C-alpha cells in the first residue's frame, strides 16, 4: 500500500537515495532540504523549522505515515549541532502530530558511528537538556580550543541518546510510533567525497571508522534499512541505534558495548 513519507536532506546523499527508493516503490515522498526539494527549509533556524512543519502540513493534508530525518552537517562549527540535533528533533517532534494521524506511523533519524567516538560531554549534556544556546557555546568553545573535530561525533552521540530516551515515552511508544536511529559508517556522499578523495584524509577516516565488511558504502546500500524501519512490518523495533557500518562499531567498542 502506498504510504506518505517526509524525508529531510532529500536533495543529496542518503536522503536522496532513500527518497528515490521509496518513490520507486510507489510511495509518496515529500522532500525537504535547503533547496532543490519540495520544501525549502533551513533546519538550523527556528523559522526554518517552523516552515518545515507548516509546509509539510499543507502538502500532506495533515497526515504522514513516516518521517526520515537525514539532514545533517559535519563541519567543525556549532552549526553542526544546530542542524544535526535541534533541527532533527524539531523535525521529529514537530511532525509527530502528523504521524499520529497517519497509518502505522514510523520515524527514523540518521545518527552515525561517530556517536561512539570520544565526545565532548558539555555539548552532549546541553543538547539533552534542550538548551540550544548552551550547546552552541560548548561547541564554539571546542572549536576555539582547536578541538572542532569532536563536534560532529558529540552531536550524533546526543542524537543517539535522545532517541533512546524519547522513543519509550507516551508520545512515541505510548502512541504506537516506533522511533529509531541508524548509525552509518563511511558512506560515499557529497559530505565525505572531498575527504575520501584526499589520501591523507582518507587514511584518517579509515583509521577512525574501520569497516572490515565491504569497506565504504554507497547511499543506496543504506536506504533499505531506513525503508524497513519505517514499514508497517516494523512493529517492535524502537529506541534502537542500528549500526550499518561494515563492522566499525564492533571493532571500536567490541565487548565494551555490553
Ligand atoms: P549530504 O551532504 O549528501 O546530505 C546532507 C543533506 O542535508 C544535504 O542535502 C544538505 O543540504 C542538507 N542540510 C544540511 N544543512 C541543512 C540545513 N541547515 N537545513 C536543511 N537541510 C540541510 O550528506 P549525507 O552523507 O547524505 O548525510 C546524510 C546524513 O547522514 C547526515 O545526518 C550525516 O551526518 C549522516 N551520516 C553520513 C555519513 C557518511 O559517511 N556520509 C556517515 C554517518 C552519518
Amino acid at each position: 500500500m502506498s504510504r506518505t513519507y517526509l524525508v529531510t536532506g532529500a536533495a543529496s546523499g542518503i536522503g536522496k537515495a532513500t527518497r528515490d527508493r521509496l518513490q520507486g516503490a510507489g510511495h509518496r515522498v515529500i522532500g525537504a532540504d535547503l533547496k532543490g526539494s519540495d520544501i525549502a527549509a533551513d533546519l538550523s533556524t527556528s523559522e526554518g523549522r517552523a516552515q518545515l512543519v507548516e509546509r509539510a502540513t499543507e502538502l500532506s493534508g495533515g497526515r504522514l505515515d513516516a518521517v526520515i530525518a537525514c539532514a545533517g552537517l559535519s563541519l567543525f562549527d556549532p552549526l553542526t549541532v544546530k542542524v544535526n540535533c535541534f533541527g532533527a528533533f524539531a523535525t521529529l517532534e514537530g511532525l509527530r502530530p502528523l504521524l499520529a494521524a497517519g497509518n502505522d506511523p514510523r520515524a527514523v533519524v540518521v545518527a552515525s558511528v561517530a556517536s561512539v567516538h570520544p565526545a565532548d560531554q558539555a555539548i552532549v549534556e546541553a543538547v539533552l537538556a534542550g538548551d540550544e544556546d548552551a550547546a552552541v557555546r560548548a561547541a564554539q568553545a571546542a572549536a576555539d580550543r582547536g578541538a572542532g573535530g569532536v563536534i560532529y561525533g558529540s552531536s550524533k552521540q546526543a542524537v543517539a541518546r535522545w532517541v533512546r530516551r524519547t522513543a519509550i515515552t507516551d508520545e512515541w511508544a505510548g502512541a504506537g510510533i516506533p522511533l529509531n536511529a541508524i548509525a552509518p559508517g563511511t558512506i560515499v556522499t557529497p559530505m565525505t567525497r572531498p575527504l575520501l578523495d584526499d589520501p591523507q584524509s582518507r587514511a584518517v577516516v579509515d583509521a577512525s571508522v574501520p569497516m572490515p565488511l565491504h569497506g565504504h558504502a554507497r547511499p543506496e546500500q543504506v536506504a533499505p534499512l531506513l525503508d524497513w524501519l519505517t514499514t508497517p512490518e516494523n512493529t517492535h523495533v524502537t529506541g534502537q541505534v542500528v549500526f550499518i557500518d561494515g563492522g566499525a562499531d564492533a571493532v571500536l567498542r567490541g565487548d565494551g558495548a555490553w
Side-chain angles (χ1 to χ4, degrees):
M1 209 175 81
S2 174
R3 287 164 65 73
T4 302
Y5 287 75
L6 185 298
V7 177
T8 69
S12 178
I14 296 169
K16 180 177 185 305
T18 304
R19 185 195 67 192
D20 291 349
R21 176 185 174 93
L22 293 168
Q23 282 178 340
H27 299 296
R28 178 176 180 213
V29 179
I30 301 169
D33 209 306
L34 285 171
K35 57 182 186 321
S37 222
D38 305 301
I39 300 173
D42 180 350
L43 296 174
S44 70
T45 68
S46 48
E47 297 76 30
R49 295 167 194 163
Q51 170 89 348
L52 171 74
V53 174
E54 192 181 315
R55 290 288 292 136
T57 305
E58 283 167 18
L59 292 174
S60 68
R63 293 166 56 103
L64 288 171
D65 302 317
V67 172
I68 301 179
C70 293
L73 285 176
S74 60
L75 303 176
F76 288 19
D77 185 285
L79 193 59
T80 297
V81 172
K82 288 174 105 36
V83 178
N84 293 6
C85 302
F86 295 96
F89 303 163
T91 299
L92 295 162
E93 295 287 22
L95 298 176
R96 188 169 42 77
L98 281 69
L99 286 171
N103 291 323
D104 298 310
R106 311 282 183 258
V108 190
V109 56
V110 181
S112 170
V113 71
S115 61
V116 308
H117 288 158
D120 180 326
Q121 290 306 319
I123 299 174
V124 176
E125 293 302 334
V127 171
L128 292 173
D131 188 338
E132 188 162 359
D133 290 340
V136 165
R137 280 196 302 276
Q140 188 60 56
D144 290 345
R145 64 174 185 272
V150 83
I151 297 173
Y152 179 73
S154 303
S155 77
K156 295 300 189 178
Q157 183 175 115
V159 167
R161 289 175 57 184
W162 182 87
V163 162
R164 290 180 67 76
R165 291 179 180 193
T166 307
I168 53 177
T169 60
D170 287 349
E171 290 75 21
W172 291 91
I177 313 173
L179 169 65
N180 292 285
I182 67 162
T186 303
I187 317 300
V188 185
T189 69
M191 181 183 282
T192 52
R193 205 180 303 273
L195 289 170
L196 299 175
D197 284 348
D198 173 63
Q200 251 180 324
S201 314
R202 185 189 179 105
V204 172
V205 169
D206 289 346
S208 62
V209 183
M211 298 176 69
L213 179 70
H214 298 320
H216 303 156
R218 290 177 285 106
E220 295 76 21
Q221 294 170 307
V222 178
L225 179 58
L226 291 167
D227 183 348
W228 186 81
L229 285 167
T230 52
T231 57
E233 210 171 25
N234 173 20
T235 54
H236 282 77
V237 179
T238 200
Q240 294 304 305
V241 180
V242 184
F243 288 80
I244 175 160
D245 64 354
D249 173 50
V251 174
L252 294 171
R253 291 199 296 178
D255 284 353
W258 306 109

